[in-house]
Amino acid sequence: MNDSLVAQSAPAEKMDPGGLLTDRTVKMRTRDVHVFYGPKEALKGIDLDIGDREVTALIGPSGCGKSTYLRCLNRMNDYIEGIRVEGRIELDGRDVYDKSLDVVQLRAQIGMVFQKPNPFPKPIYENVAYGPRIHGLAKNRAELDEIVEGSLRKAALWEEVKDRLDQPGTGLSGGQQQRLCIARAIAVNPEVVLMDEPCSALDPIATAKIEELIDELRANYTIVIVTHSMQQAARVSQRTAFFHLGDLVECGETEQIFTTPREQRTQAYITGRFG
Amino acid sequence: MTDIAQIDFRPRAISVVLASDEGQRRIQRRYAAERRFRLYGIGAIGLAIAFLVLMLGTVLSNGMTAFWQTHVRLDITFDKELLDPDGKGDRATLEQADYAALIRAALGREFPDVSGRSDRRDLFELVSGGATFELRRMLLDDPSLLGRTVPVWLTSSDEVDMLIKGVFDRTEPEAARKIKDKQIKWVDALAAKGAVERQFHTTFFTAGDSREPEQAGIWGGFVGSVYTLGLTLLLCLPIGVLAAVYLEEFAPKNRWTDLIEVNINNLAAVPSIVFGLLGLAVFLGFFGLPRSAPLVGGMVLALIVLPTIIIAGRAALKAVPPSIREAALGVGASRQQAVWHHVLPLAMPGVMTGSIIGMAHALGETAPLLMIGMVAFVVDIPTGPTSPATVLPVQVFMWADSPERAFVEKTSAAIIVLLVLLGLMNAAAIYLRKKFERRW
Ligand SMILES: Nc1ncnc2c1ncn2[C@@H]1O[C@H](COP(=O)(O)OP(=O)(O)OP(=O)(O)O)[C@@H](O)[C@H]1O
Ligand SMILES: [Mg+2]
């Protein structure tokens, strides 16, 4: 009941959600992005910039379109039946829907970590080596070994699995699997890493490890993370975007969003009054 | 929002309900229902097992005897005078020699008091018409036998075999029997000397078809089945897997693909004889391919098995969790790479199970092969996919249709072989599934 009241009153006091960046380099730019699942409009015109080499957190109640937005960024939505994506999405100023752009290369540049850990049912080594192998990143076995070790180290998993690289990735614990998936994503050395609730299946210790990892990765990668944990958004991100019912309600520096939100709905959500 | 406390809904406390008489009765009723259900289940399984045991029991009791064949021991003299009167001693002469004369001579020595043309002919009928070939093979293998006398176990005729196996009733009047009184007397005389014995019947596993039951074997049908099924597998595995992969992973979901899907499901249910008629009209009539050939049989069976493999393949692909596809796409694999590297290997156990079950189905398929002429009487073992051949189930059909009493047990024996092969194929399916099964 609360929700619909707020939603109805929204257009009256429509204001700039502040999704655009002027003071720093923009890695990805989305303008007026609409997504329809059949007749249902899941995203209603999103204008949002993703800053280079920083962590952008997407928050909002369930079903508001965070995952849909995230999956637009690397065109993971392409194969969903009945979906329609409108608007402009850019990576480094280049339209990702450009005919001349190869979607496979786009996905190599924009890695993704999913909500549920989904390692391949293959050896741990093969999980990490797969991406570099199909993109020809390593000239020989030694280089490949190096990439695998480096990625696993970055994902804080190397010490735990270095003795059993030939065992299936599916045999690891949930938290280890998720770190394996992160290692797999960064093994191709992407520029952007998208993470859809990467810690939702993990215990606090594994979560802390991954948050630490995200903080380290920030130096080299642009990261967009969807999360349901306000604390996590506050801890790991520099900017936060609040989605509600397919709209971008408010976006700004994380500190500002969590201390002095301009929107009443943002305030209500982060203090736990709805969602 | 409504306050839960305001809802005026107060059920009786559950412990009170359970303790009441009504509650106890309900428990009793539930127990009774569970017992009844278990009985029904056991009954159903019992009935199924009874039928299975009945079928296997009949087939086994009828067919096992066919693996042993009555043999008669005769002292055969490889007489130079009879075999090689000109003394040439070369292979061609020995190949064309009259071995029946050796048997006749041996029988004459065994029963010196039998005289007269018709009696001698009756006596000669104790051994199989194929016994002459057995002697020829012996001599050609070991030419030093020439001029010597050795005891030889010769295959008996099917009538003697049936008599020894107790199928023919001695008490019946002679006219109602296939074997004459005097022949029974001779057989008894031989048996009394220990010269009649049931021996393992290797001919059954090494020979092709024959009009003589004791010379007929399943090897011809088996080889025909191998050629036919090999061709079927060669055709329908790649086509079926490619079709399944395309339809499941790449084809747009629209009215056309829906139509194709419906039609594939329908094809799986089309009676197989229709495919036989199709094969007759198209492969034989239009393309002029040879009749009775495993080539055509394989193609017709491929048509029959194809829908099964496509349906099983699609089901197996559908069962692979989408997260695997997303994982592969997420690291920048193309859809092809995602399918070939990750999805298909995971679906392979299901694809293989489906294929083997389809092949087992094809192994037992008879009607469509009758249509394309694989019902011909073929004595020679087929040597290639275009030589005339028959297959195991058609062999069963033909033997079941033969008048000689001895073909009854051959029919059951061929069914046993067929069932064993089916069992092996299903075991292979289970083994492959277990071996390639992976958890994710
Ligand atoms: N494949 C789909 N087909 C139809 N509707 C969909 C599909 N995926 C998502 N939706 C709808 O689009 C809306 C946004 O979904 P989305 O998954 O983006 O939400 P979300 O913000 O990620 O939610 P959560 O936090 O629960 O993951 C929802 O109303 C959902 O029902
Ligand atoms: Mg989501």
Side-chain angles (χ1 to χ4, degrees), chain A residues 37 40 42 60-69 80 115 197 228:
Chain A
Y37 290 110
K40 181 180 163 16
S62 187
C64 67
K66 306 178 297 291
S67 299
T68 303
Y69 178 77
I80 293 178
Q115 176 169 359
E197 300 180 45
H228 277 291

Side-chain angles (χ1 to χ4, degrees), chain A residues 71 79 104 118 122 130 135, chain B residues 323 326 331-332 335 341-342:
Chain A
R71 295 164 61 91
Y79 309 120
V104 168
N118 55 353
K122 296 190 171 185
Y130 181 67
H135 296 300
Chain B
S323 65
E326 293 195 325
V331 292
R335 290 180 82 192
H341 295 167
H342 299 287

Side-chain angles (χ1 to χ4, degrees), chain A residues 161-173:
Chain A
V161 300
K162 64 180 175 197
D163 300 324
R164 46 169 173 157
L165 291 175
D166 54 345
Q167 284 173 28
T170 35
L172 296 172
S173 80

Side-chain angles (χ1 to χ4, degrees), chain A residues 4 10 30 32 39-40 59 86 94 127 134 149 159 172 189-190 198 207 233 273:
Chain A
S4 55
T30 55
D32 200 26
K40 181 180 163 16
I59 60 171
E86 287 172 4
R94 188 153 178 233
N127 263 280
I134 58 173
E149 179 174 344
E159 290 303 322
L172 296 172
N189 203 12
T207 304
R273 268 186 281 131

